[in-house]
Amino acid sequence: MKIYDFTQDPNPRRVRIFLAEKGISVPYVQVNIGTAENRQPAFLAKNPLGTLPVLEFDDGAFLAESVAICRYFEEQKPEPNLMGRDSRERAFIEMWQRRMEFEVLNLTAQSFRNTTEFFKGRIPQNKEYAEVCRNTAIKRFEWLDKELANRPYIAGDRFTIADISAMVGVDFGRLTNIRIQPEQTNLKRWHDSVSSRPSAKA
Ligand SMILES: N[C@@H](CCC(=O)N[C@@H](CS)C(=O)NCC(=O)O)C(=O)O
């Protein structure tokens, strides 16, 4: 079993943090997005969408999508639990995880992807769309600051996969100057707390 990874990018980081929290060690193989190695036939044969991360099983099956990979390991090693212990908790954590993925990480990622020289000529880019995503992400930070006024973590009173997606999304915002504002003290307190976990460096 191995994981195709690229250390500079946010989605592979989600899986590395998740596995670090679980204490699971899987060999990582670097695929360089910078040189478009992920768009070469050898990698497209593993994942035709060309995205990372991808988990390769020993029988030759390839599992893409960060949350699907996390789900597999959660069921293999349920503790420490990061995705919920009963139906109700699983549903609420999933709600928050999806919100953090679509309303934070996807917005900060699209703000970058649609403006950066890095992807110029490689993917279609639209500066107006980047601006919409950037402005929406700024609003989502305001929303999250209010949400975090009455609880320590994104999905409740303990650290979950929703915190991983949110932290990775917030951190990626820095690349297009989407930042936690000084008055967003709840968001800052949460970010300091999750960033101080050893897994954040994974
Ligand atoms: N929904 C996918 C998104 C994967 C994704 O977009 N990965 C980015 C890195 S963060 C990628 O591989 N980008 C390279 C490209 O689009 O060429 C997931 O959750 O794993």
Side-chain angles (χ1 to χ4, degrees):
M1 181 175 269
K2 58 183 103 148
I3 292 176
Y4 296 95
D5 180 45
F6 185 55
T7 50
Q8 293 167 35
D9 274 15
N11 282 293
R13 184 178 177 220
R14 289 202 286 168
V15 168
R16 290 197 309 276
I17 295 173
F18 190 92
L19 293 186
E21 287 284 338
K22 290 263 178 206
I24 294 174
S25 167
V26 177
Y28 290 105
V29 177
Q30 296 302 307
V31 177
N32 192 333
I33 292 178
T35 59
E37 193 184 347
N38 60 312
R39 298 283 165 189
Q40 302 306 313
F43 187 74
L44 293 175
K46 305 178 195 340
N47 176 11
L49 293 184
T51 53
L52 294 156
V54 171
L55 169 65
E56 180 176 349
F57 288 86
D58 291 340
D59 66 3
F62 297 101
L63 181 68
E65 294 301 326
S66 308
V67 179
I69 296 170
C70 293
R71 166 63 61 203
Y72 173 75
F73 287 111
E74 176 85 349
E75 298 200 6
Q76 290 293 304
K77 188 169 188 281
E79 296 295 337
N81 182 278
L82 295 169
M83 297 179 87
R85 292 196 177 88
D86 58 30
S87 7
R88 183 185 162 121
E89 200 193 22
R90 276 195 288 275
F92 275 95
I93 292 171
E94 179 161 342
M95 174 182 81
W96 283 108
Q97 139 54 32
R98 289 176 71 89
R99 284 177 163 179
M100 295 307 101
E101 188 169 82
F102 294 122
E103 305 292 342
V104 179
L105 175 56
N106 187 47
L107 295 174
T108 56
Q110 293 302 338
S111 171
F112 176 75
R113 285 173 68 89
N114 281 278
T115 47
T116 179
E117 290 291 315
F118 189 80
F119 279 126
K120 207 170 178 180
R122 249 199 275 167
I123 59 166
Q125 290 182 309
N126 183 323
K127 287 202 162 46
E128 276 174 48
Y129 179 58
E131 197 56 19
V132 170
C133 290
R134 185 171 182 278
N135 290 335
T136 310
I138 289 167
K139 293 264 175 243
R140 295 300 180 258
F141 280 27
E142 292 168 12
W143 164 64
L144 269 186
D145 182 60
K146 291 194 184 72
E147 288 287 342
L148 288 164
N150 297 315
R151 60 180 188 271
Y153 295 104
I154 299 288
D157 60 6
R158 68 186 180 88
F159 182 89
T160 68
I161 189 172
D163 295 288
I164 297 175
S165 293
M167 174 174 61
V168 168
V170 166
D171 288 348
F172 205 65
R174 288 188 202 132
L175 271 68
T176 51
N177 203 24
I178 302 165
R179 292 173 191 276
I180 298 175
Q181 297 303 302
E183 68 277 13
Q184 293 170 346
T185 53
N186 302 310
L187 188 55
K188 168 121 180 33
R189 185 249 315 134
W190 162 84
H191 186 258
D192 287 348
S193 157
V194 293
S195 302
S196 70
R197 299 171 79 91
S199 63
K201 295 187 179 61

PDB file of all heavy atoms in Angstrom, residues 53-71:
ATOM      1  N   PRO A  53      -4.511  13.498  -3.455  1.00  0.00           N
ATOM      2  CA  PRO A  53      -3.803  12.236  -3.249  1.00  0.00           C
ATOM      3  C   PRO A  53      -4.532  11.038  -3.884  1.00  0.00           C
ATOM      4  O   PRO A  53      -5.734  11.114  -4.169  1.00  0.00           O
ATOM      5  CB  PRO A  53      -3.834  12.089  -1.722  1.00  0.00           C
ATOM      6  CG  PRO A  53      -5.148  12.689  -1.337  1.00  0.00           C
ATOM      7  CD  PRO A  53      -5.344  13.842  -2.290  1.00  0.00           C
ATOM      8  N   VAL A  54      -3.771   9.935  -4.013  1.00  0.00           N
ATOM      9  CA  VAL A  54      -4.342   8.651  -4.438  1.00  0.00           C
ATOM     10  C   VAL A  54      -3.728   7.566  -3.555  1.00  0.00           C
ATOM     11  O   VAL A  54      -2.509   7.558  -3.340  1.00  0.00           O
ATOM     12  CB  VAL A  54      -4.016   8.356  -5.924  1.00  0.00           C
ATOM     13  CG1 VAL A  54      -4.410   6.931  -6.293  1.00  0.00           C
ATOM     14  CG2 VAL A  54      -4.734   9.349  -6.840  1.00  0.00           C
ATOM     15  N   LEU A  55      -4.581   6.684  -3.068  1.00  0.00           N
ATOM     16  CA  LEU A  55      -4.112   5.521  -2.289  1.00  0.00           C
ATOM     17  C   LEU A  55      -4.075   4.314  -3.212  1.00  0.00           C
ATOM     18  O   LEU A  55      -5.087   3.981  -3.850  1.00  0.00           O
ATOM     19  CB  LEU A  55      -5.083   5.273  -1.120  1.00  0.00           C
ATOM     20  CG  LEU A  55      -4.930   3.959  -0.344  1.00  0.00           C
ATOM     21  CD1 LEU A  55      -3.586   3.886   0.386  1.00  0.00           C
ATOM     22  CD2 LEU A  55      -6.065   3.798   0.672  1.00  0.00           C
ATOM     23  N   GLU A  56      -2.907   3.671  -3.282  1.00  0.00           N
ATOM     24  CA  GLU A  56      -2.801   2.432  -4.067  1.00  0.00           C
ATOM     25  C   GLU A  56      -2.816   1.243  -3.118  1.00  0.00           C
ATOM     26  O   GLU A  56      -2.002   1.161  -2.186  1.00  0.00           O
ATOM     27  CB  GLU A  56      -1.503   2.420  -4.893  1.00  0.00           C
ATOM     28  CG  GLU A  56      -1.375   1.136  -5.717  1.00  0.00           C
ATOM     29  CD  GLU A  56      -0.151   1.100  -6.632  1.00  0.00           C
ATOM     30  OE1 GLU A  56       0.520   2.129  -6.813  1.00  0.00           O
ATOM     31  OE2 GLU A  56       0.105  -0.004  -7.160  1.00  0.00           O
ATOM     32  N   PHE A  57      -3.747   0.319  -3.344  1.00  0.00           N
ATOM     33  CA  PHE A  57      -3.828  -0.908  -2.545  1.00  0.00           C
ATOM     34  C   PHE A  57      -2.854  -1.940  -3.118  1.00  0.00           C
ATOM     35  O   PHE A  57      -2.451  -1.858  -4.288  1.00  0.00           O
ATOM     36  CB  PHE A  57      -5.255  -1.466  -2.574  1.00  0.00           C
ATOM     37  CG  PHE A  57      -6.230  -0.655  -1.773  1.00  0.00           C
ATOM     38  CD1 PHE A  57      -6.877   0.441  -2.342  1.00  0.00           C
ATOM     39  CD2 PHE A  57      -6.493  -0.967  -0.448  1.00  0.00           C
ATOM     40  CE1 PHE A  57      -7.782   1.193  -1.601  1.00  0.00           C
ATOM     41  CE2 PHE A  57      -7.393  -0.214   0.298  1.00  0.00           C
ATOM     42  CZ  PHE A  57      -8.039   0.863  -0.275  1.00  0.00           C
ATOM     43  N   ASP A  58      -2.533  -2.940  -2.300  1.00  0.00           N
ATOM     44  CA  ASP A  58      -1.581  -3.967  -2.735  1.00  0.00           C
ATOM     45  C   ASP A  58      -2.119  -4.798  -3.901  1.00  0.00           C
ATOM     46  O   ASP A  58      -1.346  -5.403  -4.638  1.00  0.00           O
ATOM     47  CB  ASP A  58      -1.212  -4.881  -1.557  1.00  0.00           C
ATOM     48  CG  ASP A  58      -0.375  -4.125  -0.534  1.00  0.00           C
ATOM     49  OD1 ASP A  58       0.212  -3.080  -0.902  1.00  0.00           O
ATOM     50  OD2 ASP A  58      -0.329  -4.553   0.634  1.00  0.00           O
ATOM     51  N   ASP A  59      -3.451  -4.823  -4.059  1.00  0.00           N
ATOM     52  CA  ASP A  59      -4.008  -5.593  -5.187  1.00  0.00           C
ATOM     53  C   ASP A  59      -4.090  -4.746  -6.466  1.00  0.00           C
ATOM     54  O   ASP A  59      -4.653  -5.180  -7.467  1.00  0.00           O
ATOM     55  CB  ASP A  59      -5.390  -6.154  -4.831  1.00  0.00           C
ATOM     56  CG  ASP A  59      -6.434  -5.049  -4.632  1.00  0.00           C
ATOM     57  OD1 ASP A  59      -6.106  -3.846  -4.816  1.00  0.00           O
ATOM     58  OD2 ASP A  59      -7.586  -5.382  -4.298  1.00  0.00           O
ATOM     59  N   GLY A  60      -3.553  -3.517  -6.410  1.00  0.00           N
ATOM     60  CA  GLY A  60      -3.507  -2.692  -7.614  1.00  0.00           C
ATOM     61  C   GLY A  60      -4.705  -1.766  -7.783  1.00  0.00           C
ATOM     62  O   GLY A  60      -4.788  -1.064  -8.795  1.00  0.00           O
ATOM     63  N   ALA A  61      -5.609  -1.731  -6.797  1.00  0.00           N
ATOM     64  CA  ALA A  61      -6.739  -0.788  -6.880  1.00  0.00           C
ATOM     65  C   ALA A  61      -6.263   0.605  -6.463  1.00  0.00           C
ATOM     66  O   ALA A  61      -5.388   0.745  -5.597  1.00  0.00           O
ATOM     67  CB  ALA A  61      -7.873  -1.254  -5.973  1.00  0.00           C
ATOM     68  N   PHE A  62      -6.859   1.635  -7.075  1.00  0.00           N
ATOM     69  CA  PHE A  62      -6.488   3.021  -6.778  1.00  0.00           C
ATOM     70  C   PHE A  62      -7.694   3.761  -6.224  1.00  0.00           C
ATOM     71  O   PHE A  62      -8.754   3.779  -6.861  1.00  0.00           O
ATOM     72  CB  PHE A  62      -5.999   3.738  -8.044  1.00  0.00           C
ATOM     73  CG  PHE A  62      -4.752   3.138  -8.609  1.00  0.00           C
ATOM     74  CD1 PHE A  62      -4.805   2.285  -9.703  1.00  0.00           C
ATOM     75  CD2 PHE A  62      -3.524   3.400  -8.019  1.00  0.00           C
ATOM     76  CE1 PHE A  62      -3.648   1.723 -10.217  1.00  0.00           C
ATOM     77  CE2 PHE A  62      -2.351   2.836  -8.530  1.00  0.00           C
ATOM     78  CZ  PHE A  62      -2.425   1.998  -9.631  1.00  0.00           C
ATOM     79  N   LEU A  63      -7.524   4.351  -5.058  1.00  0.00           N
ATOM     80  CA  LEU A  63      -8.603   5.119  -4.428  1.00  0.00           C
ATOM     81  C   LEU A  63      -8.198   6.593  -4.390  1.00  0.00           C
ATOM     82  O   LEU A  63      -7.222   6.963  -3.723  1.00  0.00           O
ATOM     83  CB  LEU A  63      -8.849   4.601  -3.009  1.00  0.00           C
ATOM     84  CG  LEU A  63      -9.967   5.277  -2.210  1.00  0.00           C
ATOM     85  CD1 LEU A  63     -11.347   4.965  -2.820  1.00  0.00           C
ATOM     86  CD2 LEU A  63      -9.944   4.833  -0.746  1.00  0.00           C
ATOM     87  N   ALA A  64      -8.957   7.428  -5.121  1.00  0.00           N
ATOM     88  CA  ALA A  64      -8.716   8.874  -5.090  1.00  0.00           C
ATOM     89  C   ALA A  64      -9.770   9.497  -4.169  1.00  0.00           C
ATOM     90  O   ALA A  64     -10.621   8.784  -3.627  1.00  0.00           O
ATOM     91  CB  ALA A  64      -8.809   9.458  -6.491  1.00  0.00           C
ATOM     92  N   GLU A  65      -9.699  10.806  -3.994  1.00  0.00           N
ATOM     93  CA  GLU A  65     -10.583  11.600  -3.126  1.00  0.00           C
ATOM     94  C   GLU A  65     -10.124  11.484  -1.666  1.00  0.00           C
ATOM     95  O   GLU A  65     -10.232  10.431  -1.031  1.00  0.00           O
ATOM     96  CB  GLU A  65     -12.062  11.226  -3.262  1.00  0.00           C
ATOM     97  CG  GLU A  65     -12.653  11.534  -4.623  1.00  0.00           C
ATOM     98  CD  GLU A  65     -12.568  13.025  -4.987  1.00  0.00           C
ATOM     99  OE1 GLU A  65     -12.683  13.865  -4.086  1.00  0.00           O
ATOM    100  OE2 GLU A  65     -12.344  13.328  -6.160  1.00  0.00           O
ATOM    101  N   SER A  66      -9.685  12.612  -1.161  1.00  0.00           N
ATOM    102  CA  SER A  66      -9.123  12.666   0.195  1.00  0.00           C
ATOM    103  C   SER A  66     -10.059  12.071   1.245  1.00  0.00           C
ATOM    104  O   SER A  66      -9.626  11.301   2.109  1.00  0.00           O
ATOM    105  CB  SER A  66      -8.832  14.118   0.578  1.00  0.00           C
ATOM    106  OG  SER A  66      -8.055  14.726  -0.421  1.00  0.00           O
ATOM    107  N   VAL A  67     -11.335  12.426   1.173  1.00  0.00           N
ATOM    108  CA  VAL A  67     -12.248  11.975   2.236  1.00  0.00           C
ATOM    109  C   VAL A  67     -12.522  10.476   2.114  1.00  0.00           C
ATOM    110  O   VAL A  67     -12.669   9.780   3.124  1.00  0.00           O
ATOM    111  CB  VAL A  67     -13.553  12.809   2.230  1.00  0.00           C
ATOM    112  CG1 VAL A  67     -14.510  12.317   3.309  1.00  0.00           C
ATOM    113  CG2 VAL A  67     -13.222  14.278   2.477  1.00  0.00           C
ATOM    114  N   ALA A  68     -12.539   9.957   0.890  1.00  0.00           N
ATOM    115  CA  ALA A  68     -12.712   8.508   0.708  1.00  0.00           C
ATOM    116  C   ALA A  68     -11.520   7.764   1.309  1.00  0.00           C
ATOM    117  O   ALA A  68     -11.683   6.724   1.971  1.00  0.00           O
ATOM    118  CB  ALA A  68     -12.868   8.181  -0.773  1.00  0.00           C
ATOM    119  N   ILE A  69     -10.326   8.324   1.114  1.00  0.00           N
ATOM    120  CA  ILE A  69      -9.123   7.696   1.684  1.00  0.00           C
ATOM    121  C   ILE A  69      -9.194   7.738   3.215  1.00  0.00           C
ATOM    122  O   ILE A  69      -8.928   6.751   3.901  1.00  0.00           O
ATOM    123  CB  ILE A  69      -7.848   8.405   1.149  1.00  0.00           C
ATOM    124  CG1 ILE A  69      -7.740   8.197  -0.373  1.00  0.00           C
ATOM    125  CG2 ILE A  69      -6.600   7.896   1.858  1.00  0.00           C
ATOM    126  CD1 ILE A  69      -6.660   9.052  -1.057  1.00  0.00           C
ATOM    127  N   CYS A  70      -9.603   8.886   3.744  1.00  0.00           N
ATOM    128  CA  CYS A  70      -9.745   9.007   5.208  1.00  0.00           C
ATOM    129  C   CYS A  70     -10.788   8.015   5.719  1.00  0.00           C
ATOM    130  O   CYS A  70     -10.602   7.362   6.752  1.00  0.00           O
ATOM    131  CB  CYS A  70     -10.142  10.427   5.588  1.00  0.00           C
ATOM    132  SG  CYS A  70      -8.849  11.642   5.265  1.00  0.00           S
ATOM    133  N   ARG A  71     -11.898   7.885   5.016  1.00  0.00           N
ATOM    134  CA  ARG A  71     -12.967   6.954   5.421  1.00  0.00           C
ATOM    135  C   ARG A  71     -12.430   5.523   5.525  1.00  0.00           C
ATOM    136  O   ARG A  71     -12.712   4.798   6.473  1.00  0.00           O
ATOM    137  CB  ARG A  71     -14.124   7.031   4.406  1.00  0.00           C
ATOM    138  CG  ARG A  71     -15.143   5.928   4.475  1.00  0.00           C
ATOM    139  CD  ARG A  71     -15.908   5.886   5.785  1.00  0.00           C
ATOM    140  NE  ARG A  71     -16.666   7.107   6.018  1.00  0.00           N
ATOM    141  CZ  ARG A  71     -17.049   7.531   7.239  1.00  0.00           C
ATOM    142  NH1 ARG A  71     -16.747   6.825   8.322  1.00  0.00           N
ATOM    143  NH2 ARG A  71     -17.735   8.652   7.380  1.00  0.00           N
TER     144      ARG A  71
END
